[in-house]
Amino acid sequence: MMAVSCLTRALRSMTLSQPALLSSQAITQTGLATQGPKMVVQCRGFLTTASLEQNRTFWKQREKYTIKPMGMKKTGGRDHTGRIRTHGIGGGHKQKYRWIDFQRLRYEPNNEAKPFEEKVVEVRYDPCRSADIALLAGGSRKRWIIATENMQAGDIIKTSGVIGRMAVSANEGDAYPLGALPVGTLVNNLEVQPGKGSEYIRAAGTSGILLRKVNGTAIIQLPSKQQVQVLETCIVTVGRVSNIDHNKRIIGKAGRNRWLGIRPSSGLWQRKGGWAGRKIKPLPPMKVYVNLPSISAK
Amino acid sequence: MLLEKTRCLKAAAQLSSQTVLLKELSRLSSHGGARRHFGISRPLAAKVPPPRKPRERVDIPGLEMVTYADRMHFVPGLTKPVGPRWERDYKDPRYYESPPAHEMPLFKETPCYVFNQRTSALEGVRQALWLTKTKLIPHLPPQLLSLTENPANQIPDQDERVQNAIKHARFWDTTQERPGKEKYSNTLLLNLLHLCATLQSSHPAIGRRIFSEKYSLAATWKRGEDVFQIRGQNGLLHNCMDPLPEVSGKQEVADTADHVLEALYPVSPTIDLQKVHVYKDEPNCTGFRGDYPYPHAHTLYFLEGADARCKLRPEQFRAKMLMFTFGNALVRAHKAYGTQPRHVLDRPITVQAVGTNGRIFQFMVLQLNTTDLSGDDGIKNQVWLEEDVELYDFAKVRPLIKKKQVKVPAGLTGYKPEVFSKFLALYLHGAV
């Protein structure tokens, strides 16, 4: 809807303006108009997309990264119109948001771009996710990351962006590009585009497997057995995500679910359609996140 | 176009039962103006989304923008003319905007790392030791502790009077049920100092001292290529007319040259320090004027609850004590020997510090041997630190009863007399 309105605005300006003189200006205006309302905020780790109207982070106004926990506003499953978009969300204990740095390979502003080490200061519970988080201190900065299985306070963690000729024998918790890891390692916090920040395999106890490396790309199996092909320069961390017994926990009572912010589902018996029931189907085809040059490009 | 839409909707609404919609639409369109609503099956009145940020104006250097300035009216398609920036020709303090950092007169390229009274150093005492080029010795020097073994240096009825002081601070000094932590720690410290001061009749040198509070300290030094500063109001300072005698002899001082400072890798020693680019060169200030009659610092007293905004853990509190003691010593060394770094001071400067949270005490004696802090080798300064000594175990207003058994009785329990002897020893150091 927003795109349509700005497109009509741009087109209107094009018709009213003098076409001969101002065609270049109109083009820049159109370009700016289509880019403006997309809310591309240049700040660390703040992933905002224009099409997602129900954006849960309107309360996050800060641009500079901080490790201090921030107050969070709950949506209750409501979107910007005020109606429920997702049922079953609401209430629950108040939570403070700790800003996690998902882009693991982030160099300090004044340092040169080479592999660096950081020290784990503490590993703690995060109310906003199933995994535990770890406070890392390196150089003159501190940041939160998702902790891996056996991470403890006092460990030294390495982050590297270099792909060598031989595969590195990686320790758990270290972050390397996919091209530098041996095939068969368990990985987590996968980036699909290099430098974008990790978006996959972040939940408690999950891990992906690096299946094979094919010229400049690598194929990883996600926890849902779906296979994904990404560039080999994407950074991943090695090991399983922390809090591995998360799926074995027993809620025990309805009240505990309410503390987690999960509202009861509607008790109305509803006839289930074709979507319900066990389905046995082949794996979906491998998702390719790499723009491979087509054969016809020659 | 909006009016046509309204008319279409009105026609549609007359046929359907969505008359409520058109009222909402007209209300919204009159209020908002430019919002287009193509969908009519969902409500139009909802939470107003946040205002959109205006279009980013791109400034391409060399490209002249065609404005409607000479036409004297708005022309769609031409940009808004931007006039020259207006500056007030007189100075008005109500409308003063400070220039950005790089235009300030005191701006420097090399940053300065400042340790202020609210800094919580991540690595605690280890970081402070590296920054001040100091060697840590775990207990207080024995010659200090032997001061109080002499009965002439003890207060008559010492234990009873100290216990009364603790009871006053913890139980009696309030109209509420119990005094708060900031209040009782402050009262306890003042009571203990008062007790120590009763020895003035037998030790006249105590009369040559004075207390001072809320003085602002500023000390600068270079470590490697980085400039470090300590600034801030630290605590209660006990000033003296005469300097403290040195604690360790020349041989021990020379032996510290073999000690290797502990590296903090991968954490940088500048972590948690405030980084500034605008700073004065060499602002060495003791907090007092040149002709102050009590120039030498004797002891610093730190209270954990003094600053409500800043809660420091014990390790960070000890680091703060160490840094400010060092700052006081360094500033006085700069005043006595000049700001040029000196490899060995002829008379090392000794400053003491006591920190407390009302029950647990930290004692510290720092001896500044060198002001040449740029390299990691050479003679180091020395600090004797005694950490986490408890003056008493419990001071409970109501007894702790578990399963009908009294675990901890009400009142003062577990009083340890040797802690006050250490406190007294630090107080009497230099006056005996």
Side-chain angles (χ1 to χ4, degrees):
Chain A
M1 189 213 76
M2 232 194 290
V4 175
S5 56
C6 60
L7 191 61
T8 47
R9 199 189 317 132
L11 289 169
R12 204 183 321 134
S13 69
M14 280 191 78
T15 51
L16 286 170
S17 64
Q18 299 181 24
L21 274 172
L22 301 160
S23 50
S24 60
Q25 289 207 350
I27 289 166
T28 49
Q29 266 190 1
T30 332
L32 288 170
T34 46
Q35 270 177 30
K38 251 191 197 164
M39 288 199 288
V40 177
V41 181
Q42 302 296 328
C43 60
R44 288 181 64 131
F46 188 10
L47 303 168
T48 314
T49 48
S51 49
L52 199 65
E53 291 289 342
Q54 190 205 6
N55 214 332
R56 287 206 300 160
T57 53
F58 281 129
W59 46 268
K60 197 176 182 185
Q61 298 300 332
R62 208 187 149 112
E63 280 159 20
K64 193 172 167 215
Y65 182 82
T66 177
I67 56 164
K68 195 167 74 105
M70 324 185 198
M72 208 166 79
K73 284 188 180 156
K74 289 185 190 252
T75 62
R78 270 92 178 154
D79 61 5
H80 71 287
T81 58
R83 288 198 165 182
I84 296 181
R85 180 77 88 82
T86 310
H87 288 278
I89 301 180
H93 199 283
K94 258 196 176 160
Q95 296 172 346
K96 282 205 182 170
Y97 177 71
R98 283 144 185 96
W99 192 335
I100 310 281
D101 190 5
F102 287 113
Q103 191 181 333
R104 185 67 185 265
L105 188 71
R106 197 190 292 268
Y107 300 108
E108 251 191 295
N110 297 336
N111 288 6
E112 65 256 18
K114 60 182 190 9
F116 57 95
E117 290 189 341
E118 283 168 310
K119 182 176 158 184
V120 176
V121 175
E122 67 162 330
V123 177
R124 62 160 289 161
Y125 171 80
D126 189 9
C128 306
R129 63 198 77 246
S130 53
D132 291 335
I133 52 172
L135 181 61
L136 248 53
S140 310
R141 64 149 181 208
K142 291 185 272 195
R143 55 186 183 151
W144 291 108
I145 60 156
I146 299 216
T148 56
E149 196 183 340
N150 295 323
M151 221 184 238
Q152 260 139 50
D155 292 350
I156 309 274
I157 302 279
K158 189 163 174 207
T159 312
S160 159
V162 167
I163 304 179
R165 215 159 48 83
M166 282 211 336
V168 179
S169 76
N171 298 323
E172 196 193 306
D174 293 344
Y176 290 101
L178 281 165
L181 289 173
V183 167
T185 39
L186 292 176
V187 294
N188 61 67
N189 284 69
L190 172 69
E191 313 186 305
V192 288
Q193 288 175 21
K196 195 177 181 193
S198 57
E199 286 171 342
Y200 292 83
I201 322 178
R202 294 175 358 188
T206 49
S207 58
I209 307 169
L210 178 57
L211 290 176
R212 51 184 217 270
K213 295 192 269 191
V214 173
N215 32 345
T217 65
I219 295 172
I220 293 113
Q221 179 179 289
L222 300 179
S224 59
K225 311 284 191 304
Q226 154 88 305
Q227 297 188 355
V228 155
Q229 183 173 25
V230 291
L231 281 173
E232 64 171 10
T233 49
C234 293
I235 304 289
V236 284
T237 41
V238 177
R240 283 177 75 181
V241 182
S242 54
N243 201 8
I244 45 177
D245 294 327
H246 178 73
N247 55 354
K248 297 192 187 72
R249 68 175 175 164
I250 302 171
I251 301 287
K253 58 180 193 178
R256 188 161 281 119
N257 251 342
R258 297 305 298 269
W259 301 341
L260 299 170
I262 302 170
R263 273 179 51 229
S265 44
S266 137
L268 181 68
W269 179 85
Q270 298 179 15
R271 162 67 53 193
K272 296 203 196 333
W275 54 269
R278 183 168 175 194
K279 306 274 182 300
I280 297 171
K281 50 179 184 170
L283 270 184
M286 186 168 73
K287 182 95 179 115
V288 176
Y289 285 103
V290 180
N291 295 330
L292 292 166
S294 59
I295 303 165
S296 60
K298 283 191 188 165
Chain B
M1 256 173 119
L2 199 58
L3 291 169
E4 287 167 16
K5 193 72 192 163
T6 327
R7 266 180 242 134
C8 293
L9 269 177
K10 272 190 189 160
Q14 275 164 10
L15 302 170
S16 68
S17 57
Q18 288 168 334
T19 42
V20 184
L21 274 167
L22 77 86
K23 281 188 212 155
E24 286 180 4
L25 177 62
S26 53
R27 177 163 57 86
L28 280 175
S29 55
S30 59
H31 160 70
R35 294 305 301 269
R36 308 284 295 271
H37 297 279
F38 291 112
I40 51 171
S41 55
R42 58 182 181 84
L44 303 163
K47 195 157 118 176
V48 176
R52 289 182 232 169
K53 297 197 176 70
R55 178 163 53 97
E56 217 182 283
R57 305 203 98 95
V58 177
D59 192 30
I60 305 168
L63 190 70
E64 210 185 279
M65 307 296 272
V66 183
T67 66
Y68 53 79
D70 31 323
R71 302 236 204 150
M72 304 292 272
H73 64 95
F74 172 72
V75 173
L78 299 184
T79 54
K80 194 170 175 180
V82 174
R85 196 187 152 82
W86 175 77
E87 304 253 342
R88 218 177 290 269
D89 50 348
Y90 59 92
K91 188 181 149 196
D92 189 349
R94 287 193 304 165
Y95 302 104
Y96 170 70
E97 256 183 44
S98 58
H102 51 266
E103 283 170 30
M104 296 253 198
L106 290 174
F107 176 77
K108 289 161 189 67
E109 289 295 333
T110 47
C112 171
Y113 298 96
V114 177
F115 188 101
N116 54 40
Q117 68 262 36
R118 285 173 57 200
T119 307
S120 164
L122 180 77
E123 293 282 325
V125 177
R126 287 172 55 211
Q127 188 177 355
L129 289 174
W130 190 94
L131 286 173
T132 56
K133 201 174 165 188
T134 312
K135 179 182 169 185
L136 175 71
I137 301 157
H139 296 287
L140 285 179
Q143 65 259 41
L144 261 189
L145 298 173
S146 57
L147 274 178
T148 42
E149 277 155 29
N150 185 356
N153 293 342
Q154 287 170 11
I155 304 168
D157 294 330
Q158 183 170 306
D159 288 342
E160 197 193 311
R161 291 180 77 175
V162 173
Q163 283 176 320
N164 278 342
I166 302 171
K167 284 177 194 170
H168 171 249
R170 287 301 299 254
F171 306 129
W172 306 332
D173 188 28
T174 178
T175 52
Q176 317 286 333
E177 198 179 305
R178 53 172 67 85
K181 194 172 194 178
E182 313 84 40
K183 188 159 188 211
Y184 75 65
S185 53
N186 194 29
T187 325
L188 179 64
L189 185 68
L190 295 178
N191 286 352
L192 293 178
L193 287 171
H194 179 83
L195 271 180
C196 299
T198 53
L199 280 175
Q200 190 176 340
S201 46
S202 49
H203 301 78
I206 296 176
R208 294 166 61 79
R209 297 178 187 176
I210 196 173
F211 285 99
S212 53
E213 248 186 327
K214 294 213 171 151
Y215 66 100
S216 296
L217 179 74
T220 323
W221 75 101
K222 265 193 154 62
R223 190 100 170 78
E225 300 101 28
D226 304 316
V227 183
F228 292 96
Q229 277 191 15
I230 297 183
R231 307 187 82 127
Q233 296 181 350
N234 23 20
L236 187 65
L237 175 63
H238 202 35
N239 279 323
C240 190
M241 285 185 185
D242 324 303
L244 270 173
E246 53 190 53
V247 178
S248 69
K250 292 232 183 308
Q251 185 52 43
E252 283 179 38
V253 167
D255 286 341
T256 57
D258 305 325
H259 173 73
V260 175
L261 289 173
E262 201 183 339
L264 298 166
Y265 184 79
V267 175
S268 150
T270 55
I271 202 169
D272 277 335
L273 298 181
Q274 184 190 9
K275 186 167 159 181
V276 284
H277 285 273
V278 178
Y279 56 95
K280 266 194 198 163
D281 257 329
E282 316 281 321
N284 285 304
C285 167
T286 54
F288 302 97
R289 289 216 197 122
D291 54 351
Y292 188 60
Y294 305 88
H296 304 277
H298 186 275
T299 323
L300 275 158
Y301 294 97
F302 291 93
L303 287 174
E304 252 183 51
D307 198 349
R309 285 178 296 178
C310 157
K311 284 186 204 121
L312 294 174
R313 278 165 292 156
E315 187 67 20
Q316 276 71 35
F317 181 60
R318 286 191 284 270
K320 177 185 166 184
M321 275 171 64
L322 177 53
M323 294 299 287
F324 278 104
T325 325
F326 173 80
N328 274 297
L330 188 71
V331 145
R332 283 162 175 89
H334 279 301
K335 260 179 71 176
Y337 299 100
T339 50
Q340 286 305 312
R342 285 178 72 106
H343 189 55
V344 171
L345 299 180
D346 309 319
R347 295 201 58 188
I349 297 180
T350 315
V351 184
Q352 294 170 156
V354 174
T356 176
N357 75 344
R359 186 174 79 92
I360 302 178
F361 282 77
Q362 339 269 352
F363 298 112
M364 181 188 289
V365 182
L366 172 88
Q367 180 169 312
L368 189 76
N369 299 322
T370 170
T371 49
D372 179 21
L373 302 162
S374 37
D376 275 343
D377 48 350
I379 295 190
K380 320 267 185 308
N381 307 313
Q382 289 163 303
V383 69
W384 289 262
L385 176 62
E386 189 140 348
E387 35 188 65
D388 287 342
V389 280
E390 300 169 351
L391 183 57
Y392 53 91
D393 282 333
F394 296 99
K396 291 193 97 58
V397 171
R398 310 192 75 197
L400 178 69
I401 298 176
K402 291 275 184 199
K403 293 192 183 167
K404 298 190 186 169
Q405 303 264 332
V406 176
K407 299 286 177 198
V408 180
L412 183 66
T413 34
Y415 168 68
K416 295 178 178 62
E418 58 272 6
V419 180
F420 182 72
S421 341
K422 288 179 192 164
F423 188 92
L424 187 59
L426 284 186
Y427 188 91
L428 288 176
H429 186 210
V432 164

